Amino acid sequence: MLKLSIYRDSSMAKPTSNSLKKSSGTSGGLPKLVPTTAESAHKTATFNKLYRSVMIKHFGDINQAGKRMELMFAKPEVETPSGLKASAVSTRAFKGSSFKAILHKLYTSPFEIIFCPDTKQSMYCQILFGLIQRNEVIMIGSIFASTVVRSIKFLENNWKELCSNIKTGQISEWITDLGYRNAASLILKPNPELADLIEDVCSCKSWEGIIRKLWPKTKYIGTVCTGAMLQYTAELEFYCGGLPLVSGFYACSEGAIGINLGPLCKPSDVSYTFFPNMVYYEFLSIKEDCDTNSQNQVQLNVMSHHEDTRPVDLVNVKLGQCYEVLVTSSMGMISSNY
């Protein structure tokens, strides 16, 4: 069920096409090319400011408190027939000059690690750098909850090797990417005391609360854990030791949609405040049969559109009804989300 409220802002910017973003894909598995305009960039900047203000209200300005251990993986660019470059929304953000300027101050992962095509090497090094800087980490996360869970399971399988790297100050030989090795040489020094501490934590019988034990200053886990990601919340809650799971915003490649104004609520209780000036919303009524088990994991058994129905706009949605959200951006791009 979609829970929403409304925020209005009349500020707009004149659209001027200048680049392309590649969507994460459609139900058919094919990504779309989304033009970036001055108007869409202005809306994104406004959305980010509003989102940051909400997070500062609840957690303080973490930019002044320490570093973020965010698991970030850039994807390769593609070239259109006209010669223009198109990249995923996240990749485009990672390559931005403003992100590069703050990366070493606010994040544990260096630029080289984010852009390596080998995800195994990237995951290993991002965890390694996070462990080395454990006393500076005040937030852990990734775009999706599944990635955070995967990283903890990766750590569970590789913590002995990671400890060996930290103890000796030498990175494993199978890490062959030159950028990784150069970045590691700047931070990886022999530290037997830290290696022993991590080994003591990881060798315990139960990994319940392992995130809080390894990164004691962490304030919250920031990741999308609603919708399809809700199934990972039980595992995350086991690993995080009571840290809040913050699903802060609702967005798609075509545009930002809504913000969670109550980030401390449980993932199963999250609602998003929609911003009607960001994109144009329509809602297609659906029939939904959901079973929720004791771990708040939703299994969708039956979903079908009501017969002879048309999409309704934001002011005509009905409380208690389930909808598929249809999004039309200011560039004319259409997307749908449950």
Side-chain angles (χ1 to χ4, degrees), residues 65-181:
K67 290 189 175 183
R68 308 162 187 245
M69 181 183 162
E70 290 202 39
L71 301 158
M72 300 174 284
F73 303 91
K75 296 180 179 179
E77 289 183 325
V78 297
E79 185 172 315
T80 67
S82 64
L84 293 176
K85 297 291 185 179
S87 59
V89 175
S90 57
T91 299
R92 188 171 178 273
F94 298 153
K95 297 189 75 170
S97 57
S98 59
F99 180 78
K100 291 180 183 179
I102 64 172
L103 182 62
H104 70 286
K105 296 180 181 179
L106 302 183
Y107 296 85
T108 58
S109 296
F111 187 80
E112 296 87 347
I113 290 177
I114 300 171
F115 279 86
C116 179
D118 188 328
T119 55
K120 182 179 179 181
Q121 291 189 52
S122 180
M123 177 73 81
Y124 186 91
C125 289
Q126 291 195 58
I127 294 174
L128 176 63
F129 276 63
L131 289 171
I132 293 171
Q133 301 169 83
R134 66 184 293 269
N135 287 324
E136 298 180 67
V137 173
I138 41 82
M139 176 268 189
I140 292 175
S142 189
I143 296 177
F144 298 115
S146 57
T147 305
V148 182
V149 171
R150 182 159 52 90
S151 70
I152 299 302
K153 292 185 180 297
F154 187 94
L155 173 60
E156 194 169 5
N157 292 327
N158 295 277
W159 64 265
K160 292 182 180 179
E161 184 177 355
L162 288 160
C163 286
S164 177
N165 292 164
I166 295 171
K167 181 173 293 187
T168 62
Q170 299 293 325
I171 197 167
S172 299
E173 292 184 359
W174 66 271
I175 303 295
T176 57
D177 185 273
L178 185 59
Y180 285 10
R181 301 194 71 87

